[in-house]
Amino acid sequence: MSIVKVGLIGIGNMGKTYALQLDKAQVKGAELRAICGREKQSAWVTDNLSENVQFYTDEDTFLNESEIDAIIIATPHFSHPELAIKAFAKGIHVLLEKPAGVFTKNVIEMNEAAAVSGKTFAMMYNQRTNPIFQKLRSLIQSGELGEIKRTNWIITDWYRSQSYYDSSSWRATWRGEGGGVLLNQAPHQLDLMQWTTGMELKNVHAFCHYGKYHNIEVEDDVTAYFEYENGATGVFISSTAEAPGTNRFEVVGDRGKLVIENNELTFFRLTQSEREFNATYKGGFGEPECWKIDVPVKGEYLGHIGIIQNWIDAILKDTPLLSPGDEGIKVVELVNAIYLSSWLNQTVECPVDPDEYLKLLNEKMKS
């Protein structure tokens, strides 16, 4: 195979972006062959894409007759696992828009189907192409920061007005999206938090406020407290109602603190291990010497197109995936734990029971 014939299902805001990138040959080794969407969207396809791009309104016909090798799924959240499973059954490679799903039960089934198919499966975690987070991950994984003690991410800089939520009936509903800020805006940060640190969560105690600042039924304000398997703790704060918002990620370790804010990476590096200083220092008041280092970050942030190109290269050249599809479940597990903790008003172990979570989610959707 020298060219991957790509299909796209779902042509909302992101789907249209992917379609244009592919149709304009911005992804090497890929050719857009078919799109599946609603009948009223056919005019956009005709007006904006090449004549050879086929348009379908029925997903089964699309999968059976379009003769595509690979598919990008950019539909509403609930349909992600179901469509991916159908594609794997047809021997089609899959790139899945975030989140991997709404609840872990069918995400687990999707990952199993992907493994059986042997096809290339990737998640659209485009922030993993950002050099600043790649550098952060490298510093942590290389041991420069030492043992991690704490993570803290305040991510409140995606303000949304009531008119945004009123623009579509499915927005900010349990039945339409399966959640609010955690599933719509925050999956990238929840993924990066786990991807950069490499730590496994032990338990979560969270506080979600539902429709606190907007006339919606899902959460628009969240504070979650984490405990990790290594004993570290973490806090994640997110909201769509703060202006101006904040985006600050801190990771504290035995050898100092790494901070990302305003697209800059700063390393407050200790010249001595804090644990060693604590055990040996005899002067009472005092603390380890610290150097403030503005870490140089090189490279281009490729964003969504970088993930698509990496996926195509993995299909054609067996290039390692930057964002493997089976890792998508980590964010869904974390989101499910945050919601469950909030609903039960108690600390929950990670991962939560898939059946218990789905039962409570169904009750939310019914009401």
Side-chain angles (χ1 to χ4, degrees):
M1 187 190 302
S2 58
I3 292 290
V4 179
K5 295 175 287 185
V6 179
L8 172 68
I9 183 166
I11 45 175
N13 291 333
M14 293 315 304
K16 289 175 181 176
T17 299
Y18 305 148
L20 291 170
Q21 290 172 336
L22 288 162
D23 194 52
K24 293 179 180 179
Q26 294 179 11
V27 180
K28 297 178 181 179
E31 181 181 350
L32 182 63
R33 288 292 185 88
I35 283 184
C36 184
R38 295 187 297 274
E39 181 61 44
K40 64 181 181 180
Q41 295 170 320
S42 62
W44 183 88
V45 173
T46 302
D47 293 343
N48 293 278
L49 303 179
S50 304
E51 293 181 0
N52 64 334
V53 177
Q54 305 171 73
F55 183 76
Y56 298 86
T57 57
D58 180 76
E59 65 187 48
D60 291 322
T61 304
F62 166 66
L63 291 172
N64 290 328
E65 299 181 6
S66 62
E67 298 183 344
I68 57 175
D69 305 308
I71 185 174
I72 298 176
I73 298 172
T75 54
H77 303 160
F78 276 96
S79 63
H80 289 181
E82 177 187 356
L83 290 171
I85 290 170
K86 282 187 175 182
F88 289 132
K90 301 291 182 182
I92 297 172
H93 306 282
V94 173
L95 173 56
L96 189 61
E97 183 55 85
K98 57 83 180 168
V102 173
F103 51 92
T104 58
K105 193 174 180 68
N106 61 356
V107 177
I108 292 170
E109 294 171 356
M110 175 179 67
N111 285 352
E112 291 173 347
V116 170
S117 74
K119 295 301 173 180
T120 304
F121 179 30
M123 282 295 304
M124 184 56 86
Y125 284 145
N126 52 282
Q127 289 290 330
R128 291 192 183 191
T129 70
N130 192 329
I132 199 167
F133 291 109
Q134 292 178 346
K135 187 66 174 181
L136 175 71
R137 184 174 190 264
S138 175
L139 288 169
I140 293 172
Q141 301 299 324
S142 67
E144 283 289 324
L145 192 62
E147 183 77 6
I148 294 177
K149 298 178 177 179
R150 182 178 61 83
T151 64
N152 183 33
W153 204 329
I154 303 174
I155 173 70
T156 60
D157 63 346
W158 34 45
Y159 181 83
R160 296 291 187 271
S161 68
Q162 184 63 43
S163 61
Y164 165 83
Y165 293 113
D166 292 343
S167 64
S168 296
S169 60
W170 55 267
R171 286 194 185 278
T173 63
W174 292 113
R175 184 177 294 277
E177 290 192 285
V181 63
L182 288 171
L183 273 177
N184 195 325
Q185 284 84 24
H188 288 299
Q189 284 67 38
L190 294 173
D191 171 65
L192 289 171
M193 187 178 65
Q194 298 177 92
W195 182 65
T196 56
T197 64
M199 295 193 298
E200 293 293 327
L201 274 169
K202 181 179 181 182
N203 56 56
V204 172
H205 197 127
F207 304 89
C208 296
H209 300 276
Y210 305 96
K212 183 176 183 179
Y213 298 110
H214 304 90
N215 183 25
I216 58 176
E217 64 185 52
V218 293
E219 84 288 350
D220 56 6
D221 189 86
V222 176
T223 299
Y225 172 77
F226 307 137
E227 290 185 343
Y228 296 95
E229 290 290 351
N230 73 336
T233 61
V235 176
F236 186 83
I237 298 172
S238 191
S239 175
T240 57
E242 293 186 13
T246 297
N247 187 348
R248 179 181 175 91
F249 184 30
E250 296 184 1
V251 186
V252 180
D254 179 54
R255 298 302 303 258
K257 176 174 67 176
L258 287 162
V259 178
I260 292 180
E261 188 172 24
N262 299 323
N263 204 33
E264 296 177 348
L265 175 58
T266 306
F267 190 179
F268 298 87
R269 191 180 190 281
L270 302 183
T271 60
Q272 181 184 10
S273 157
E274 183 279 327
R275 291 289 79 197
E276 178 184 305
F277 180 88
N278 179 73
T280 59
Y281 182 68
K282 304 300 182 184
F285 291 102
E287 60 184 53
E289 181 183 358
C290 178
W291 299 342
K292 181 183 177 183
I293 303 170
D294 295 322
V295 180
V297 177
K298 299 180 181 179
E300 181 183 1
Y301 173 39
L302 300 175
H304 298 89
I305 202 167
I307 292 293
I308 300 174
Q309 186 66 68
N310 173 250
W311 173 58
I312 294 297
D313 290 344
I315 295 170
L316 293 175
K317 308 172 186 178
D318 203 27
T319 301
L321 285 170
L322 179 60
S323 182
D326 61 358
E327 294 183 8
I329 195 171
K330 294 182 179 181
V331 168
V332 183
E333 286 177 338
L334 178 51
V335 170
N336 287 183
I338 292 173
Y339 284 141
L340 187 61
S341 173
S342 175
W343 297 341
L344 301 178
N345 192 27
Q346 66 184 45
T347 301
V348 298
E349 300 293 320
C350 298
V352 301
D353 181 281
D355 294 311
E356 179 185 14
Y357 181 78
L358 182 56
K359 176 184 176 183
L360 293 177
L361 176 62
N362 283 328
E363 291 176 2
K364 292 285 183 183
M365 291 192 290
K366 288 177 182 177
S367 64

